[in-house]
Amino acid sequence: MKNSLSLFFFALLMITSVCVFGQSKNSLEYNVKFISTQLYATSYSEKITIESPLSSPFIMLSGFVEKENFEGQFYFRTQIDENSELSEWQPIPLMTEGITPNRTVYFGGEIDSRTKYLHIKSITTTPTNFNLRLFFPGHSDENNTAHTRSGEADCTCEQPDICGRTCWCPSGDCPIDTTPEPTVASHFIVHHSAGQTTSSDFAAVVRSYYDFHTGTNGWDDIGYNWLVDGNGIIYEGRGQGLQGAHFSCMNENTIGICVIGNYENATPSAEAINALQNFIAWSSCEEDIDVLGMDLHPNSNLNLNNISGHLDGNPSPNACSSTVCPGVNLYSLLPTIRDEIAAFPCLDNSSSVNGLLENEKIEIFPNPNNGTFQVNFENVKITDIVIYLSLIHISEPTRPRLI
């Protein structure tokens, strides 16, 4: 009998207390307090009952510990109702995509909107309170709001349709940062959202990212300047000309574009890639960014492709995090994406018919060639010549020469 009482005593020590400390129209917040034991590093929460404040396509789960660089691990499992089985334990991954002062942030992602009960597990030798946040984005109307292109723009690339903030957050509960930092962009930074997105209500997904960035991370606004979903719809985040929070604390002079999804284990849709290319074509023309260029990014002190992935910032000593973003299956497409955007007629500024007068002429002969070719020009004042080569197959090393 004595041994049974001891085991029961330890079981009580491993149970936590859960307190609802915040509730809004769209979110529930819980303070999950873990109690230390000397024998076990694992402790469990009591069953958390979820009272959904509104109907939603999913629930977004995230949380934080009020301590920087906390090394504990958290897991969750769900239950639809009292008669259903508990799910397997799933990790609440540590967020390493940026910095959150005085916090260590965890992002569990989307869970089933029918979930009624939730359990949290902590694995750490130094337990601390876990601030759990559940966000209910609600269902969206059809995305049909687009910005019109400014009549003052000099660029010939048309702005694609964009779902602005009033489109993806029509309730007005996602206010823009009131003290934004302006920036002049020199580089595009391509991201993926990393979380496994299963919902087809992408406007709700964008609202959930806004809530995660502001409610859990404590940022002033959604971190990305723009987002693209799997259907090819483009969403305005912080927008053009404003500094985001997306490039490992080196955000100056960048435009952050997030393709929604996890492209470590999935492949971006053709619609998403087409929308990404259309947007960068327009934006590069507006911002005068060479899509095939490579320039110094001052804040990272790295020479970066003007269209880069988030992970390209990893080597910088100024980076506050390391990442695999935008995932291998999207990152591997960036060379092709650059080339295809450069081939857009609206960006063809290189000696095209539109750029020459009737008596001016430039020819490359032969084209294609084996690496030896001539450039002939008439009535054209030449200052610099830049030639882009597409190497299909070369059996032996050759070097193009200009004669």
Side-chain angles (χ1 to χ4, degrees), residues 120-138:
I120 304 294
K121 177 172 70 173
S122 170
I123 302 179
T124 176
T125 56
T126 56
T128 187
N129 291 13
F130 180 67
N131 295 280
L132 172 67
R133 185 177 182 87
L134 301 178
F135 178 71
F136 304 80

Side-chain angles (χ1 to χ4, degrees), residues 5-212:
L5 288 174
S6 297
L7 289 173
F8 179 69
F9 175 70
F10 282 121
L12 286 177
L13 284 180
M14 293 169 63
I15 294 293
T16 70
S17 62
V18 179
C19 174
V20 181
F21 69 91
Q23 181 170 354
S24 69
K25 185 178 73 173
N26 295 80
S27 65
L28 295 173
E29 300 175 48
Y30 303 83
N31 189 310
V32 183
K33 184 178 181 181
F34 295 90
I35 302 174
S36 176
T37 71
Q38 295 181 348
L39 296 181
Y40 303 99
T42 302
S43 54
Y44 301 84
S45 77
E46 63 186 8
K47 182 167 65 175
I48 302 171
T49 302
I50 301 173
E51 298 292 344
S52 301
L54 76 164
S55 175
S56 292
F58 59 87
I59 305 170
M60 186 65 78
L61 185 153
S62 63
F64 66 91
V65 171
E66 291 181 333
K67 183 184 297 185
E68 289 188 22
N69 303 316
F70 182 70
E71 296 182 352
Q73 301 174 48
F74 296 97
Y75 297 80
F76 73 95
R77 63 183 182 182
T78 61
Q79 190 174 8
I80 300 300
D81 54 47
E82 292 182 348
N83 299 319
S84 62
E85 295 184 358
L86 285 164
S87 70
E88 297 294 327
W89 286 107
Q90 301 178 59
I92 309 177
L94 178 69
M95 192 203 75
T96 60
E97 304 297 299
I99 191 169
T100 52
N102 304 315
R103 292 183 181 186
T104 301
V105 171
Y106 297 82
F107 183 61
E110 300 170 14
I111 64 175
D112 195 314
S113 62
R114 299 171 298 166
T115 300
K116 185 67 175 179
Y117 302 109
L118 183 68
H119 301 252
I120 304 294
K121 177 172 70 173
S122 170
I123 302 179
T124 176
T125 56
T126 56
T128 187
N129 291 13
F130 180 67
N131 295 280
L132 172 67
R133 185 177 182 87
L134 301 178
F135 178 71
F136 304 80
H139 295 278
S140 304
D141 295 329
E142 184 179 354
N143 301 316
N144 55 11
T145 302
H147 287 177
T148 56
R149 183 166 179 262
S150 171
E152 299 177 358
D154 296 327
C155 179
T156 57
C157 295
E158 293 186 2
Q159 177 182 325
D161 291 347
I162 291 169
C163 178
R165 191 172 295 244
T166 56
C167 164
W168 58 262
C169 188
S171 65
D173 294 333
C174 316
I176 194 169
D177 179 13
T178 57
T179 58
E181 290 285 338
T183 194
V184 177
S186 59
H187 292 77
F188 296 96
I189 306 299
V190 178
H191 299 260
H192 70 166
S193 58
Q196 192 64 40
T197 299
T198 58
S199 175
S200 59
D201 189 341
F202 287 108
V205 172
V206 175
R207 289 195 295 278
S208 70
Y209 292 163
Y210 174 90
D211 181 81
F212 173 59

Side-chain angles (χ1 to χ4, degrees), residues 134-321:
L134 301 178
F135 178 71
F136 304 80
H139 295 278
S140 304
D141 295 329
E142 184 179 354
N143 301 316
N144 55 11
T145 302
H147 287 177
T148 56
R149 183 166 179 262
S150 171
E152 299 177 358
D154 296 327
C155 179
T156 57
C157 295
E158 293 186 2
Q159 177 182 325
D161 291 347
I162 291 169
C163 178
R165 191 172 295 244
T166 56
C167 164
W168 58 262
C169 188
S171 65
D173 294 333
C174 316
I176 194 169
D177 179 13
T178 57
T179 58
E181 290 285 338
T183 194
V184 177
S186 59
H187 292 77
F188 296 96
I189 306 299
V190 178
H191 299 260
H192 70 166
S193 58
Q196 192 64 40
T197 299
T198 58
S199 175
S200 59
D201 189 341
F202 287 108
V205 172
V206 175
R207 289 195 295 278
S208 70
Y209 292 163
Y210 174 90
D211 181 81
F212 173 59
H213 290 175
T214 58
T216 304
N217 290 357
W219 295 348
D220 293 331
D221 201 343
I222 192 169
Y224 309 115
N225 295 94
W226 305 91
L227 303 95
V228 178
D229 74 17
N231 296 322
I233 295 176
I234 301 167
Y235 301 84
E236 181 182 37
R238 297 205 182 192
Q240 207 81 335
L242 298 179
Q243 184 174 301
H246 59 89
F247 192 38
S248 303
C249 306
M250 304 177 296
N251 301 297
E252 291 89 338
N253 307 115
T254 64
I255 297 173
I257 309 172
C258 174
V259 183
I260 296 172
N262 187 334
Y263 300 114
E264 277 292 291
N265 50 38
T267 301
S269 67
E271 292 83 359
I273 295 301
N274 288 338
L276 177 67
Q277 293 181 165
N278 288 334
F279 177 82
I280 293 179
W282 165 75
S283 185
S284 67
C285 194
E286 295 287 307
E287 303 291 336
D288 194 24
I289 299 174
D290 179 4
V291 295
L292 291 177
M294 173 181 284
D295 293 298
L296 176 68
H297 177 245
N299 199 233
S300 66
N301 201 31
L302 297 174
N303 283 313
L304 298 176
N305 287 306
N306 293 345
I307 301 176
S308 285
H310 186 179
L311 62 82
D312 288 317
N314 287 349
S316 173
N318 299 328
C320 63
S321 62

